[in-house]
Amino acid sequence: MNKKNTRRSFIKRASLTSAAISTSPFLLAAATNKIQILKRNYSFEHYTNNDQINIALIGTGIQGIYDTQSALQVDGVKIVAACDLYTGRLERAKELWGQNIFVTRDYREILNRKDIDAVLIATPDHWHQTITVAALKAGKHVYCEKPMVQNFNEGQEIIKAQKSSGKICQIGSQGMSSLGNEKAKELYEDGAIGDIVMLDMYNDRYSSEGAWQYPIPTDADAETVDFDTFLGSAPKVAYDNNRFFRWRNYQDYGTGVAGDLFVHAFSTLNYVISSDGPNRALATGGLRYWKDGRDVPDVSITLYDYPKTETHAPFNAAFRINFIAGSGGGGGFKLIGTEGEMEIGQNSVTVKRSKLGMEPSGYSLISFTEDMQAQIKKEYASKKLDTRLSNLATGTTTWQAPRDYKGAHYDHFYNFFTNIRTNGKVIQDPKFGLRAAGAALLANESYSRKQPVDWNPTEMKLL
């Protein structure tokens, strides 16, 4: 971080001008809790049929449906087709979006249609790269669910395909475009927490659904499910409902907690602090409770090292996932700096600053004589370490979204469709997506090797 963006300069700017206060309203009184309302302006226009963006969904599962529902809230967007390998989901697509939409089990039929402008790819992870590259080459704009890739070596082909196609490709960490992220980035760059020294991220769950034990439809069998196509490049195995409907539990198709959850955190972290990512990871964990045939951990702890760059000091990040949290569940994402801490959510940001103790207390003075204690106190007092400015720079402020906020998921699609119309630059392009996915996948690599692993965040390569 630029050294001019420290707490002292931040408080000074906020104190001197009302303009500074309006852009970064901060605490100027000790022990004060203050709430600020975030705002976002949308540019809405009337879209004719010629301006309408027709979309198709490839992978009509849980996330695919939520993605599509959010996408359709954006003006001028219409769904015309859906693809899935389970016939029941195609029936569900017609229930949700009309009997007239085209449905198929073959994603290639989607890509061959001339009336489709953009595709939403919400398949299992091991299909992301194949379908994304094919869609870009077919001239479609792409919204691909995170993680962008299942393996480190898949990302460069997506980057190349996007560049050569000239089409828009947005990676779907749906919280990326949130008001919370936007404000957190502004606050960080303005020096609200000083130099970052640690990230603390955790996600605790306490339900079978939260641990990916998704329900299996009663009509699922080899007739209603195209299991062979689902396997794709994965090892050939006999038909298995668990593998199809609970694919996140298997390394052959998913990326475990790292690809499902870590990647969201890396997307936010790298965006807020303008970083390319970590250069080292060390993971541990295990399968502690959900021994249902899965081959990925349900408890995971990974420590990451971030190197010093122009935008941040060197720091450490701790990621923790617990799928059997007896506490009942919960989560958090907190940046801790030399001058404060920032807790970031999609709908809010809270900054807390405490007074840094610079003068000795009775604890460390107890071993000296009364006379010596008095001399030491006098010496520290002459240094004027305990200033009025340091006292004013303490307290807590929360910035939160208004009640009518459309949500981060909507904002991510608004960003996607706006840039399709303007040929602009999305907030999470394939390069950004690979950096987030690559950092997350380091956890799996370290866990598998049982040793630390190194990563080049600039070149996006495993070392």
Side-chain angles (χ1 to χ4, degrees):
M1 155 174 293
N2 190 320
K3 291 300 181 182
K4 73 177 182 180
N5 290 330
T6 64
R7 179 196 301 206
R8 179 170 297 180
S9 61
F10 183 88
I11 295 299
K12 183 178 180 181
R13 290 195 304 277
S15 301
L16 290 176
T17 68
S18 59
I21 293 175
S22 66
T23 56
S24 300
F26 234 74
L27 296 173
L28 297 178
T32 298
N33 295 317
K34 194 169 184 179
I35 303 294
Q36 302 285 342
I37 302 301
L38 297 170
K39 295 180 181 180
R40 170 163 289 158
N41 295 320
Y42 302 95
S43 175
F44 292 108
E45 299 177 10
H46 176 71
Y47 297 107
T48 67
N49 288 336
N50 290 333
D51 297 322
Q52 181 175 277
I53 297 176
N54 288 341
I55 65 171
L57 173 61
I58 301 176
T60 317
I62 300 168
Q63 190 61 39
I65 289 176
Y66 280 112
D67 280 345
T68 304
Q69 299 291 56
S70 293
L72 292 176
Q73 292 181 46
V74 181
D75 284 358
V77 177
K78 179 182 178 180
I79 184 168
V80 298
C83 174
D84 201 88
L85 299 178
Y86 165 52
T87 56
R89 287 181 177 151
L90 300 180
E91 294 168 6
R92 177 59 172 160
K94 286 180 172 289
E95 280 185 351
L96 290 170
W97 304 307
Q99 295 298 313
N100 292 329
I101 72 165
F102 173 77
V103 295
T104 179
R105 283 185 171 189
D106 189 344
Y107 75 88
R108 293 169 296 185
E109 292 188 345
I110 297 284
L111 302 186
N112 288 334
R113 290 180 66 98
K114 302 300 183 184
D115 61 338
I116 294 172
D117 304 302
V119 295
L120 279 52
I121 300 172
T123 64
D125 299 346
H126 71 304
W127 271 103
H128 284 182
Q129 187 249 22
T130 298
I131 300 179
T132 296
V133 170
L136 290 168
K137 289 182 176 179
K140 311 300 183 189
H141 301 288
V142 173
Y143 180 101
C144 177
E145 261 301 326
K146 57 75 203 165
M148 187 178 85
V149 294
Q150 186 190 31
N151 298 306
F152 300 102
N153 57 5
E154 295 175 335
Q156 294 298 333
E157 190 172 350
I158 294 178
I159 294 171
K160 180 180 178 182
Q162 186 276 320
K163 185 176 181 180
S164 62
S165 71
K167 296 299 178 180
I168 299 296
C169 182
Q170 174 94 293
I171 307 305
S173 286
Q174 63 263 28
M176 265 296 297
S177 303
S178 68
L179 277 172
N181 275 9
E182 182 181 82
K183 187 62 181 181
K185 183 178 182 68
E186 175 190 333
L187 290 168
Y188 172 79
E189 291 178 350
D190 211 11
I193 64 170
D195 286 330
I196 183 174
V197 293
M198 176 171 283
L199 167 82
D200 184 20
M201 175 271 185
Y202 74 97
N203 188 308
D204 289 342
R205 297 183 174 185
Y206 199 56
S207 69
S208 59
E209 186 176 74
W212 305 329
Q213 278 197 348
Y214 300 135
I216 296 173
T218 56
D219 68 346
D221 58 30
E223 295 296 320
T224 59
V225 174
D226 185 349
F227 190 72
D228 287 341
T229 298
F230 159 76
L231 291 177
S233 59
K236 303 304 178 185
V237 295
Y239 180 88
D240 186 337
N241 276 333
N242 284 318
R243 286 179 174 268
F244 184 84
F245 290 98
R246 299 173 178 175
W247 56 267
R248 290 193 185 280
N249 292 325
Y250 303 93
Q251 297 179 47
D252 287 342
Y253 327 113
T255 47
V257 298
D260 187 34
L261 301 173
F262 284 16
V263 70
H264 284 303
F266 277 115
S267 296
T268 290
L269 176 61
N270 291 350
Y271 170 74
V272 169
I273 67 174
S274 301
S275 177
D276 287 344
N279 60 1
R280 186 174 173 84
L282 174 62
T284 188
L287 187 54
R288 310 304 185 197
Y289 184 84
W290 300 103
K291 299 178 181 179
D292 50 8
R294 70 181 66 196
D295 57 16
V296 295
D298 55 11
V299 172
S300 176
I301 301 172
T302 306
L303 304 177
Y304 290 90
D305 293 341
Y306 268 71
K308 176 179 172 59
T309 71
E310 292 183 358
T311 64
H312 60 77
F315 70 96
N316 298 99
F319 288 64
R320 174 174 62 82
I321 306 293
N322 184 359
F323 277 4
I324 188 62
S327 60
F333 182 96
K334 187 181 295 185
L335 300 182
I336 303 166
T338 56
E339 301 178 8
E341 68 176 30
M342 185 187 325
E343 187 155 9
I344 305 171
Q346 293 182 11
N347 297 332
S348 67
V349 181
T350 297
V351 172
K352 178 181 179 181
R353 295 186 314 282
S354 302
K355 180 180 175 182
L356 178 62
M358 295 297 290
E359 297 185 358
S361 67
Y363 174 78
S364 59
L365 291 174
I366 195 171
S367 64
F368 303 125
T369 66
E370 296 294 332
D371 286 344
M372 181 55 66
Q373 289 185 39
Q375 291 182 46
I376 291 174
K377 288 179 180 179
K378 183 178 180 180
E379 179 185 358
Y380 272 88
S382 68
K383 296 178 181 178
K384 296 181 179 180
L385 300 174
D386 187 8
T387 64
R388 180 175 181 273
L389 185 63
S390 66
N391 289 327
L392 287 175
T394 63
T396 301
T397 300
T398 297
W399 289 262
Q400 62 186 30
R403 290 184 179 180
D404 60 352
Y405 178 44
K406 292 178 178 291
H409 209 164
Y410 171 90
D411 280 351
H412 208 42
F413 276 106
Y414 179 83
N415 181 264
F416 176 52
F417 294 124
T418 296
N419 285 287
I420 288 176
R421 290 189 168 105
T422 62
N423 196 30
K425 180 174 174 57
V426 291
I427 194 170
Q428 195 170 21
D429 64 13
K431 217 175 247 191
F432 189 105
L434 178 55
R435 288 197 167 107
L441 294 176
L442 293 177
N444 293 343
E445 190 75 14
S446 174
Y447 180 80
S448 175
R449 294 189 190 183
K450 295 182 170 56
Q451 65 183 37
V453 292
D454 295 319
W455 169 256
N456 185 321
T458 303
E459 296 182 7
M460 297 170 284
K461 292 181 180 179
L462 192 66
L463 301 178

